[in-house]
Amino acid sequence: QCKLPAQVKYGKWALKVKTVSGSWSTASLDLIVVVPPSLLQIYPSSGPLRGATTLRISVGDEGFDPDAEYQCRFGASRTPARRVAEKEFTCLTSAWHTAQAVGFALEPEGLSLSASDNVLPFHFHFHEKIHIVSVHPTAGGSAGNTAVTITGTFPQGVRMACRFGDVLQDGAQLVSGSILVCTSPEHAPGAVSLELSSNLVDFTRDEFQFTYL
Protein backbone atom coordinates (compact mmCIF):
# COMPACT_ATOMS: atom_id res chain seq x y z
CA GLN A 1 0.00 0.00 0.00
CA CYS A 2 1.39 3.39 -1.02
CA LYS A 3 0.39 6.82 0.23
CA LEU A 4 0.07 9.51 -2.41
CA PRO A 5 2.63 12.31 -1.78
CA ALA A 6 1.18 15.78 -1.27
CA GLN A 7 3.10 17.13 -4.29
CA VAL A 8 1.38 14.70 -6.66
CA LYS A 9 -1.48 16.72 -8.09
CA TYR A 10 -4.00 16.27 -10.88
CA GLY A 11 -2.72 14.49 -14.01
CA LYS A 12 -0.91 11.41 -15.25
CA TRP A 13 2.08 10.07 -13.31
CA ALA A 14 4.52 7.18 -13.78
CA LEU A 15 4.31 4.84 -10.77
CA LYS A 16 7.30 2.63 -9.83
CA VAL A 17 7.80 0.36 -6.85
CA LYS A 18 10.90 0.20 -4.65
CA THR A 19 11.90 -3.16 -3.18
CA VAL A 20 13.10 -3.76 0.37
CA SER A 21 16.67 -3.96 -0.97
CA GLY A 22 16.34 -0.48 -2.44
CA SER A 23 15.96 -1.35 -6.14
CA TRP A 24 13.33 0.41 -8.26
CA SER A 25 11.15 -1.55 -10.64
CA THR A 26 12.22 -1.25 -14.27
CA ALA A 27 8.66 -1.00 -15.53
CA SER A 28 6.17 1.65 -14.46
CA LEU A 29 2.40 1.95 -14.33
CA ASP A 30 0.40 4.95 -15.36
CA LEU A 31 -1.23 6.54 -12.32
CA ILE A 32 -4.00 8.97 -13.18
CA VAL A 33 -4.79 11.38 -10.36
CA VAL A 34 -8.13 13.14 -10.52
CA VAL A 35 -9.37 16.03 -8.42
CA PRO A 36 -13.09 16.63 -7.91
CA PRO A 37 -14.29 20.02 -9.13
CA SER A 38 -14.53 22.78 -6.56
CA LEU A 39 -18.11 23.43 -5.52
CA LEU A 40 -19.52 26.94 -5.41
CA GLN A 41 -23.06 26.13 -4.31
CA ILE A 42 -25.58 23.34 -3.83
CA TYR A 43 -29.31 24.02 -3.59
CA PRO A 44 -31.25 22.99 -1.66
CA SER A 45 -29.10 21.79 1.23
CA SER A 46 -31.82 19.73 2.93
CA GLY A 47 -34.58 17.31 1.99
CA PRO A 48 -36.66 14.33 3.12
CA LEU A 49 -35.34 10.86 3.86
CA ARG A 50 -37.29 9.34 0.95
CA GLY A 51 -34.84 10.99 -1.45
CA ALA A 52 -35.66 12.15 -5.01
CA THR A 53 -35.02 15.82 -4.16
CA THR A 54 -33.66 17.63 -7.22
CA LEU A 55 -30.35 19.18 -6.24
CA ARG A 56 -28.68 21.92 -8.31
CA ILE A 57 -24.86 22.18 -8.18
CA SER A 58 -22.59 24.99 -9.37
CA VAL A 59 -18.85 24.31 -9.80
CA GLY A 60 -15.75 26.45 -10.23
CA ASP A 61 -12.76 26.13 -12.56
CA GLU A 62 -10.48 24.21 -10.18
CA GLY A 63 -10.51 20.49 -10.96
CA PHE A 64 -13.33 20.80 -13.48
CA ASP A 65 -13.05 18.71 -16.64
CA PRO A 66 -15.61 19.85 -19.25
CA ASP A 67 -15.36 16.49 -21.03
CA ALA A 68 -15.86 14.30 -17.96
CA GLU A 69 -19.04 12.68 -16.68
CA TYR A 70 -19.83 13.17 -12.99
CA GLN A 71 -21.77 11.62 -10.15
CA CYS A 72 -23.12 13.02 -6.87
CA ARG A 73 -21.94 11.65 -3.56
CA PHE A 74 -24.22 11.63 -0.50
CA GLY A 75 -22.22 10.00 2.27
CA ALA A 76 -21.52 6.49 0.95
CA SER A 77 -24.26 6.67 -1.69
CA ARG A 78 -23.87 7.82 -5.31
CA THR A 79 -26.41 9.04 -7.88
CA PRO A 80 -25.87 10.16 -11.51
CA ALA A 81 -25.29 13.87 -12.20
CA ARG A 82 -26.75 15.57 -15.26
CA ARG A 83 -25.11 18.62 -16.82
CA VAL A 84 -27.64 21.42 -17.41
CA ALA A 85 -25.20 24.26 -18.19
CA GLU A 86 -21.45 24.66 -18.70
CA LYS A 87 -20.67 24.42 -14.97
CA GLU A 88 -24.02 23.48 -13.51
CA PHE A 89 -25.39 20.03 -12.73
CA THR A 90 -28.49 18.47 -11.24
CA CYS A 91 -28.94 15.17 -9.48
CA LEU A 92 -31.56 13.43 -7.36
CA THR A 93 -30.81 12.74 -3.72
CA SER A 94 -30.63 9.11 -2.71
CA ALA A 95 -32.97 7.68 -0.08
CA TRP A 96 -31.42 7.79 3.40
CA HIS A 97 -31.97 5.72 6.54
CA THR A 98 -31.81 8.29 9.33
CA ALA A 99 -32.13 12.03 9.82
CA GLN A 100 -28.61 13.47 9.65
CA ALA A 101 -26.21 15.66 7.66
CA VAL A 102 -23.97 13.77 5.22
CA GLY A 103 -21.00 14.93 3.21
CA PHE A 104 -21.68 15.95 -0.39
CA ALA A 105 -19.27 15.99 -3.34
CA LEU A 106 -19.36 15.95 -7.12
CA GLU A 107 -17.05 13.15 -8.28
CA PRO A 108 -15.84 11.90 -11.67
CA GLU A 109 -18.16 9.08 -12.70
CA GLY A 110 -17.03 5.65 -11.54
CA LEU A 111 -14.58 6.98 -8.95
CA SER A 112 -15.06 7.31 -5.21
CA LEU A 113 -13.36 9.93 -3.08
CA SER A 114 -11.58 8.62 -0.03
CA ALA A 115 -12.26 11.82 1.92
CA SER A 116 -14.43 11.36 5.00
CA ASP A 117 -17.68 13.30 5.37
CA ASN A 118 -16.35 15.64 8.07
CA VAL A 119 -13.66 17.11 5.78
CA LEU A 120 -15.99 17.81 2.87
CA PRO A 121 -16.95 21.50 2.65
CA PHE A 122 -20.59 20.86 1.68
CA HIS A 123 -23.21 18.76 3.46
CA PHE A 124 -26.79 17.72 2.72
CA HIS A 125 -29.20 17.39 5.63
CA PHE A 126 -31.72 14.54 5.44
CA HIS A 127 -34.79 15.03 7.63
CA GLU A 128 -37.95 13.16 8.56
CA LYS A 129 -41.04 13.44 6.37
CA ILE A 130 -43.16 16.56 6.79
CA HIS A 131 -46.78 15.57 7.38
CA ILE A 132 -49.87 17.74 7.96
CA VAL A 133 -52.55 16.33 10.31
CA SER A 134 -54.88 19.32 10.78
CA VAL A 135 -55.36 22.97 9.78
CA HIS A 136 -57.21 25.66 11.78
CA PRO A 137 -58.87 27.82 10.72
CA THR A 138 -59.58 26.50 7.25
CA ALA A 139 -60.85 29.83 5.91
CA GLY A 140 -59.95 33.52 6.09
CA GLY A 141 -60.33 36.86 4.36
CA SER A 142 -58.97 37.48 0.88
CA ALA A 143 -56.87 40.35 2.30
CA GLY A 144 -54.73 37.71 4.01
CA ASN A 145 -53.03 38.07 7.39
CA THR A 146 -54.91 35.11 8.93
CA ALA A 147 -52.83 33.12 11.41
CA VAL A 148 -53.26 29.48 10.39
CA THR A 149 -52.21 26.85 12.92
CA ILE A 150 -51.03 23.60 11.39
CA THR A 151 -50.44 20.42 13.39
CA GLY A 152 -48.43 17.48 12.16
CA THR A 153 -44.85 16.22 12.17
CA PHE A 154 -42.13 18.70 11.32
CA PRO A 155 -38.33 18.38 11.39
CA GLN A 156 -36.56 20.40 14.06
CA GLY A 157 -33.92 22.99 13.20
CA VAL A 158 -35.21 23.38 9.64
CA ARG A 159 -36.71 26.58 8.25
CA MET A 160 -40.26 25.95 7.03
CA ALA A 161 -42.35 27.68 4.37
CA CYS A 162 -46.06 27.56 3.52
CA ARG A 163 -47.66 27.69 0.09
CA PHE A 164 -51.25 28.83 -0.36
CA GLY A 165 -52.15 27.75 -3.88
CA ASP A 166 -49.30 29.16 -5.95
CA VAL A 167 -48.38 31.90 -3.45
CA LEU A 168 -45.33 31.15 -1.29
CA GLN A 169 -45.21 32.44 2.28
CA ASP A 170 -41.71 31.94 3.62
CA GLY A 171 -40.76 31.91 7.30
CA ALA A 172 -43.44 29.83 9.03
CA GLN A 173 -43.26 30.03 12.82
CA LEU A 174 -42.35 26.61 14.22
CA VAL A 175 -43.90 26.42 17.70
CA SER A 176 -42.91 22.81 18.40
CA GLY A 177 -42.20 19.56 16.58
CA SER A 178 -45.94 19.20 15.99
CA ILE A 179 -47.28 22.79 15.69
CA LEU A 180 -46.44 25.65 13.35
CA VAL A 181 -48.20 28.86 12.35
CA CYS A 182 -48.44 30.31 8.85
CA THR A 183 -49.81 33.75 7.98
CA SER A 184 -52.01 33.65 4.91
CA PRO A 185 -51.00 35.97 2.05
CA GLU A 186 -53.44 38.08 0.05
CA HIS A 187 -55.36 36.00 -2.49
CA ALA A 188 -58.50 36.08 -4.61
CA PRO A 189 -61.59 34.38 -3.08
CA GLY A 190 -61.79 30.60 -3.47
CA ALA A 191 -60.29 27.37 -2.17
CA VAL A 192 -56.55 26.76 -2.59
CA SER A 193 -54.21 23.96 -1.58
CA LEU A 194 -52.13 24.47 1.57
CA GLU A 195 -48.70 22.86 1.51
CA LEU A 196 -45.46 22.96 3.49
CA SER A 197 -41.81 22.75 2.46
CA SER A 198 -38.42 22.78 4.12
CA ASN A 199 -36.45 23.60 0.98
CA LEU A 200 -38.84 25.27 -1.53
CA VAL A 201 -38.39 22.24 -3.80
CA ASP A 202 -40.29 19.41 -2.07
CA PHE A 203 -43.85 20.19 -0.90
CA THR A 204 -46.31 18.13 1.10
CA ARG A 205 -49.21 16.44 -0.69
CA ASP A 206 -51.60 15.95 2.20
CA GLU A 207 -54.59 17.44 0.34
CA PHE A 208 -55.44 20.17 2.84
CA GLN A 209 -57.14 23.34 1.61
CA PHE A 210 -57.62 26.91 2.78
CA THR A 211 -60.62 28.90 1.56
CA TYR A 212 -60.39 32.63 0.91
CA LEU A 213 -63.67 34.46 1.59
Side-chain angles (χ1 to χ4, degrees):
Q1 184 177 2
C2 300
K3 184 176 180 180
L4 198 66
Q7 63 268 30
V8 175
K9 304 296 183 182
Y10 180 88
K12 185 176 181 180
W13 299 78
L15 175 64
K16 291 187 176 184
V17 178
K18 192 175 186 179
T19 65
V20 177
S21 62
S23 301
W24 287 99
S25 58
T26 55
S28 64
L29 297 174
D30 289 334
L31 174 67
I32 300 176
V33 180
V34 296
V35 177
S38 58
L39 299 181
L40 301 179
Q41 183 184 39
I42 66 170
Y43 181 84
S45 58
S46 66
L49 290 172
R50 61 174 169 78
T53 297
T54 299
L55 195 70
R56 195 173 187 95
I57 308 108
S58 299
V59 303
D61 292 328
E62 184 180 354
F64 176 66
D65 182 352
D67 298 320
E69 298 293 329
Y70 288 94
Q71 64 190 14
C72 292
R73 166 188 171 175
F74 299 91
S77 179
R78 270 77 180 171
T79 64
R82 183 172 70 91
R83 193 191 307 266
V84 295
E86 183 182 0
K87 295 179 183 176
E88 291 189 2
F89 296 81
T90 61
C91 64
L92 297 179
T93 61
S94 55
W96 204 253
H97 47 86
T98 185
Q100 67 180 118
V102 302
F104 174 84
L106 190 69
E107 304 172 324
E109 189 177 48
L111 298 176
S112 298
L113 295 176
S114 59
S116 59
D117 276 11
N118 61 348
V119 301
L120 293 175
F122 285 84
H123 289 77
F124 186 86
H125 180 252
F126 286 96
H127 61 66
E128 300 287 350
K129 178 183 178 180
I130 301 170
H131 177 55
I132 299 175
V133 174
S134 67
V135 173
H136 181 78
T138 57
S142 59
N145 206 35
T146 299
V148 181
T149 300
I150 302 174
T151 61
T153 54
F154 315 120
Q156 296 296 297
V158 176
R159 184 179 176 89
M160 300 287 290
C162 309
R163 188 168 68 180
F164 292 78
D166 57 358
V167 181
L168 186 66
Q169 192 77 332
D170 199 5
Q173 180 186 356
L174 190 62
V175 179
S176 69
S178 60
I179 300 174
L180 63 77
V181 177
C182 295
T183 302
S184 66
E186 182 180 354
H187 199 284
V192 299
S193 60
L194 176 54
E195 303 162 316
L196 299 176
S197 177
S198 65
N199 58 17
L200 307 184
V201 174
D202 303 295
F203 287 86
T204 55
R205 298 179 181 179
D206 293 319
E207 300 183 353
F208 281 86
Q209 290 190 324
F210 183 83
T211 301
Y212 282 93
L213 306 175

Coordinates of all heavy atoms in Angstrom, one line a residue, residues 120-169:
L120 N -15.4 17.2 4.1 CA -16.0 17.8 2.9 C -16.6 19.2 3.2 O -17.3 19.3 4.2 CB -17.1 16.9 2.3 CG -16.5 15.5 1.8 CD1 -17.7 14.6 1.3 CD2 -15.6 15.8 0.6
P121 N -16.5 20.2 2.3 CA -16.9 21.5 2.7 C -18.5 21.7 2.6 O -19.0 22.6 3.1 CB -16.2 22.4 1.6 CG -16.0 21.5 0.5 CD -15.7 20.1 1.1
F122 N -19.1 20.8 1.8 CA -20.6 20.9 1.7 C -21.3 19.6 2.3 O -20.7 18.5 2.2 CB -21.0 21.0 0.2 CG -20.7 22.4 -0.4 CD1 -19.4 22.7 -0.8 CD2 -21.7 23.3 -0.4 CE1 -19.2 24.0 -1.3 CE2 -21.4 24.6 -0.9 CZ -20.2 24.9 -1.4
H123 N -22.4 19.9 2.9 CA -23.2 18.8 3.5 C -24.7 18.9 3.0 O -25.2 20.0 2.8 CB -23.1 18.7 5.0 CG -21.8 18.3 5.5 ND1 -20.7 19.2 5.5 CD2 -21.3 17.2 6.0 CE1 -19.6 18.5 5.9 NE2 -20.0 17.3 6.3
F124 N -25.4 17.7 3.0 CA -26.8 17.7 2.7 C -27.5 17.1 3.9 O -27.1 16.1 4.5 CB -27.1 16.9 1.5 CG -28.6 17.0 1.1 CD1 -29.0 18.0 0.3 CD2 -29.5 16.0 1.5 CE1 -30.4 18.1 -0.1 CE2 -30.8 16.1 1.2 CZ -31.3 17.1 0.4
H125 N -28.5 17.8 4.4 CA -29.2 17.4 5.6 C -30.5 16.6 5.3 O -31.4 17.2 4.7 CB -29.5 18.6 6.5 CG -30.2 18.2 7.8 ND1 -31.6 18.5 8.0 CD2 -29.8 17.6 8.9 CE1 -31.9 18.1 9.2 NE2 -30.8 17.5 9.8
F126 N -30.5 15.3 5.6 CA -31.7 14.5 5.4 C -32.6 14.7 6.7 O -32.1 14.6 7.8 CB -31.4 13.1 5.2 CG -30.8 12.8 3.9 CD1 -29.4 12.7 3.7 CD2 -31.6 12.5 2.8 CE1 -28.9 12.4 2.4 CE2 -31.1 12.3 1.5 CZ -29.7 12.2 1.4
H127 N -33.9 14.9 6.5 CA -34.8 15.0 7.6 C -36.0 14.1 7.5 O -36.3 13.6 6.4 CB -35.2 16.5 7.8 CG -35.9 17.1 6.7 ND1 -37.2 16.7 6.3 CD2 -35.6 18.1 5.9 CE1 -37.6 17.5 5.3 NE2 -36.7 18.3 5.0
E128 N -36.7 14.0 8.6 CA -38.0 13.2 8.6 C -39.0 13.8 7.7 O -39.0 15.0 7.4 CB -38.5 13.0 10.0 CG -37.6 12.4 11.0 CD -37.4 10.9 10.8 OE1 -38.2 10.3 10.0 OE2 -36.5 10.3 11.4
K129 N -40.0 13.0 7.2 CA -41.0 13.4 6.4 C -41.9 14.5 7.1 O -42.2 14.4 8.2 CB -41.9 12.2 6.0 CG -43.1 12.6 5.1 CD -44.0 11.4 4.9 CE -45.2 11.8 4.0 NZ -46.1 10.6 3.8
I130 N -42.2 15.5 6.3 CA -43.2 16.6 6.8 C -44.6 16.1 6.5 O -44.9 15.7 5.4 CB -42.9 17.9 6.1 CG1 -41.5 18.4 6.3 CG2 -43.9 19.0 6.6 CD1 -41.1 19.5 5.5
H131 N -45.4 16.1 7.5 CA -46.8 15.6 7.4 C -47.8 16.5 8.1 O -47.6 16.8 9.3 CB -46.8 14.2 8.0 CG -48.2 13.5 7.9 ND1 -48.9 13.4 6.7 CD2 -49.0 13.0 8.9 CE1 -50.1 12.8 7.0 NE2 -50.1 12.6 8.3
I132 N -48.8 16.9 7.4 CA -49.9 17.7 8.0 C -51.0 16.8 8.5 O -51.5 16.0 7.7 CB -50.4 18.7 6.9 CG1 -49.3 19.7 6.4 CG2 -51.6 19.5 7.5 CD1 -49.8 20.6 5.3
V133 N -51.4 17.1 9.7 CA -52.5 16.3 10.3 C -53.8 17.2 10.4 O -54.9 16.7 10.1 CB -52.2 15.8 11.7 CG1 -53.4 15.2 12.4 CG2 -51.0 14.9 11.7
S134 N -53.7 18.5 10.7 CA -54.9 19.3 10.8 C -54.5 20.8 10.5 O -53.4 21.2 10.7 CB -55.6 19.2 12.2 OG -54.7 19.8 13.2
V135 N -55.5 21.5 10.1 CA -55.4 23.0 9.8 C -56.5 23.7 10.4 O -57.7 23.3 10.4 CB -55.4 23.2 8.3 CG1 -55.4 24.7 8.0 CG2 -54.2 22.5 7.6
H136 N -56.2 24.8 11.1 CA -57.2 25.7 11.8 C -56.8 27.1 11.9 O -55.6 27.4 12.3 CB -57.5 25.2 13.2 CG -58.6 25.9 13.9 ND1 -59.9 25.8 13.6 CD2 -58.5 27.0 14.8 CE1 -60.6 26.6 14.3 NE2 -59.8 27.3 15.1
P137 N -57.6 28.0 11.4 CA -58.9 27.8 10.7 C -58.6 27.4 9.3 O -57.5 27.5 8.8 CB -59.5 29.2 10.8 CG -58.4 30.1 10.8 CD -57.3 29.5 11.6
T138 N -59.7 26.9 8.6 CA -59.6 26.5 7.2 C -60.1 27.6 6.3 O -60.2 27.3 5.1 CB -60.4 25.2 7.0 OG1 -61.8 25.5 7.4 CG2 -59.8 24.1 7.9
A139 N -60.4 28.7 6.8 CA -60.9 29.8 5.9 C -60.4 31.2 6.5 O -60.2 31.3 7.7 CB -62.4 29.8 5.7
G140 N -60.3 32.2 5.7 CA -60.0 33.5 6.1 C -60.2 34.5 5.0 O -60.5 34.2 3.8
G141 N -60.1 35.8 5.3 CA -60.3 36.9 4.4 C -59.3 36.9 3.2 O -58.2 36.5 3.3
S142 N -59.8 37.4 2.1 CA -59.0 37.5 0.9 C -57.8 38.5 1.0 O -56.9 38.5 0.3 CB -59.8 37.8 -0.4 OG -60.5 39.1 -0.2
A143 N -57.9 39.4 2.0 CA -56.9 40.4 2.3 C -55.7 39.7 3.0 O -54.6 40.3 3.1 CB -57.4 41.5 3.2
G144 N -55.8 38.4 3.4 CA -54.7 37.7 4.0 C -54.6 38.1 5.5 O -55.5 38.5 6.1
N145 N -53.4 37.8 6.0 CA -53.0 38.1 7.4 C -53.8 37.2 8.4 O -54.0 37.6 9.6 CB -53.2 39.6 7.7 CG -52.3 40.0 8.8 OD1 -51.2 39.5 8.9 ND2 -52.8 41.0 9.6
T146 N -54.3 36.0 8.0 CA -54.9 35.1 8.9 C -53.8 34.2 9.5 O -53.1 33.6 8.7 CB -56.0 34.3 8.2 OG1 -57.0 35.2 7.7 CG2 -56.6 33.3 9.2
A147 N -53.8 34.1 10.8 CA -52.8 33.1 11.4 C -53.4 31.7 11.3 O -54.5 31.4 11.9 CB -52.6 33.5 12.8
V148 N -52.8 30.8 10.6 CA -53.3 29.5 10.4 C -52.4 28.5 11.2 O -51.2 28.4 10.9 CB -53.3 29.1 8.9 CG1 -53.8 27.7 8.7 CG2 -54.1 30.1 8.1
T149 N -53.0 27.8 12.1 CA -52.2 26.8 12.9 C -52.3 25.5 12.3 O -53.4 25.0 12.0 CB -52.8 26.8 14.4 OG1 -52.7 28.0 15.0 CG2 -52.0 25.8 15.2
I150 N -51.1 24.9 12.0 CA -51.0 23.6 11.4 C -50.4 22.6 12.4 O -49.3 22.9 12.9 CB -50.2 23.7 10.1 CG1 -50.8 24.7 9.1 CG2 -50.1 22.3 9.4 CD1 -50.0 25.0 7.9
T151 N -51.0 21.5 12.6 CA -50.4 20.4 13.4 C -50.0 19.3 12.5 O -50.5 19.1 11.4 CB -51.4 19.9 14.4 OG1 -52.6 19.3 13.7 CG2 -51.9 21.0 15.3
G152 N -49.0 18.6 12.9 CA -48.4 17.5 12.2 C -47.1 17.1 12.7 O -46.8 17.3 13.9
T153 N -46.2 16.6 11.8 CA -44.8 16.2 12.2 C -43.9 17.0 11.3 O -44.0 17.0 10.1 CB -44.6 14.7 11.9 OG1 -44.9 14.4 10.6 CG2 -45.4 13.9 12.9
F154 N -43.0 17.8 12.0 CA -42.1 18.7 11.3 C -40.7 18.5 11.8 O -40.5 18.4 13.0 CB -42.6 20.2 11.6 CG -44.1 20.4 11.4 CD1 -44.8 20.8 12.5 CD2 -44.7 20.1 10.2 CE1 -46.2 21.0 12.3 CE2 -46.1 20.3 10.1 CZ -46.8 20.7 11.1
P155 N -39.7 18.5 11.0 CA -38.3 18.4 11.4 C -37.9 19.6 12.2 O -38.2 20.7 11.9 CB -37.6 18.3 10.1 CG -38.4 18.9 9.1 CD -39.8 18.7 9.5
Q156 N -37.1 19.3 13.2 CA -36.6 20.4 14.1 C -35.3 21.0 13.4 O -34.6 20.4 12.7 CB -36.2 19.9 15.5 CG -37.4 19.4 16.2 CD -38.4 20.5 16.5 OE1 -38.1 21.4 17.3 NE2 -39.6 20.4 16.0
G157 N -35.1 22.3 13.7 CA -33.9 23.0 13.2 C -33.9 23.3 11.7 O -32.9 23.6 11.1
V158 N -35.1 23.2 11.1 CA -35.2 23.4 9.6 C -36.2 24.5 9.4 O -37.3 24.5 10.0 CB -35.7 22.1 8.9 CG1 -35.9 22.4 7.4 CG2 -34.7 21.0 9.1
R159 N -35.8 25.5 8.6 CA -36.7 26.6 8.2 C -37.9 26.1 7.4 O -37.6 25.4 6.4 CB -35.9 27.7 7.5 CG -36.7 28.9 7.2 CD -35.9 29.9 6.5 NE -36.6 31.1 6.1 CZ -36.8 32.2 6.8 NH1 -36.2 32.2 8.0 NH2 -37.5 33.2 6.4
M160 N -39.1 26.4 7.7 CA -40.3 26.0 7.0 C -40.9 27.1 6.3 O -40.9 28.3 6.7 CB -41.3 25.3 8.0 CG -40.7 24.2 8.8 SD -40.5 22.7 7.8 CE -42.2 22.3 7.5
A161 N -41.6 26.7 5.2 CA -42.4 27.7 4.4 C -43.7 27.1 4.0 O -43.9 25.9 4.0 CB -41.6 28.0 3.1
C162 N -44.7 28.0 3.9 CA -46.1 27.6 3.5 C -46.4 28.0 2.1 O -45.8 29.0 1.6 CB -47.1 28.2 4.5 SG -46.7 28.0 6.2
R163 N -47.2 27.3 1.4 CA -47.7 27.7 0.1 C -49.2 27.6 0.0 O -49.8 26.5 0.2 CB -47.0 26.8 -1.0 CG -47.3 27.3 -2.4 CD -46.4 26.6 -3.4 NE -46.8 25.2 -3.6 CZ -46.2 24.4 -4.5 NH1 -45.2 24.9 -5.2 NH2 -46.5 23.2 -4.6
F164 N -49.8 28.8 -0.2 CA -51.3 28.8 -0.4 C -51.5 28.9 -1.9 O -51.3 29.9 -2.5 CB -51.8 30.1 0.3 CG -51.7 30.0 1.8 CD1 -50.5 30.3 2.5 CD2 -52.8 29.8 2.6 CE1 -50.4 30.3 3.9 CE2 -52.7 29.7 4.0 CZ -51.5 30.0 4.6
G165 N -52.0 27.8 -2.4 CA -52.2 27.7 -3.9 C -50.8 27.9 -4.5 O -49.9 27.0 -4.3
D166 N -50.6 28.9 -5.3 CA -49.3 29.2 -6.0 C -48.5 30.3 -5.3 O -47.6 30.8 -5.9 CB -49.5 29.4 -7.4 CG -50.4 30.6 -7.7 OD1 -50.9 31.2 -6.8 OD2 -50.6 30.9 -8.9
V167 N -49.0 30.8 -4.1 CA -48.4 31.9 -3.4 C -47.6 31.4 -2.3 O -48.1 30.8 -1.4 CB -49.4 32.9 -2.9 CG1 -48.7 34.1 -2.3 CG2 -50.3 33.4 -4.1
L168 N -46.2 31.6 -2.3 CA -45.3 31.2 -1.3 C -45.3 32.1 -0.1 O -45.2 33.4 -0.3 CB -43.9 31.0 -1.9 CG -42.9 30.3 -1.0 CD1 -43.2 28.9 -0.7 CD2 -41.5 30.4 -1.7
Q169 N -45.3 31.6 1.1 CA -45.2 32.4 2.3 C -44.1 31.9 3.1 O -44.2 30.9 3.8 CB -46.5 32.4 3.1 CG -46.6 33.4 4.2 CD -46.9 34.8 3.7 OE1 -46.6 35.2 2.5 NE2 -47.5 35.7 4.5

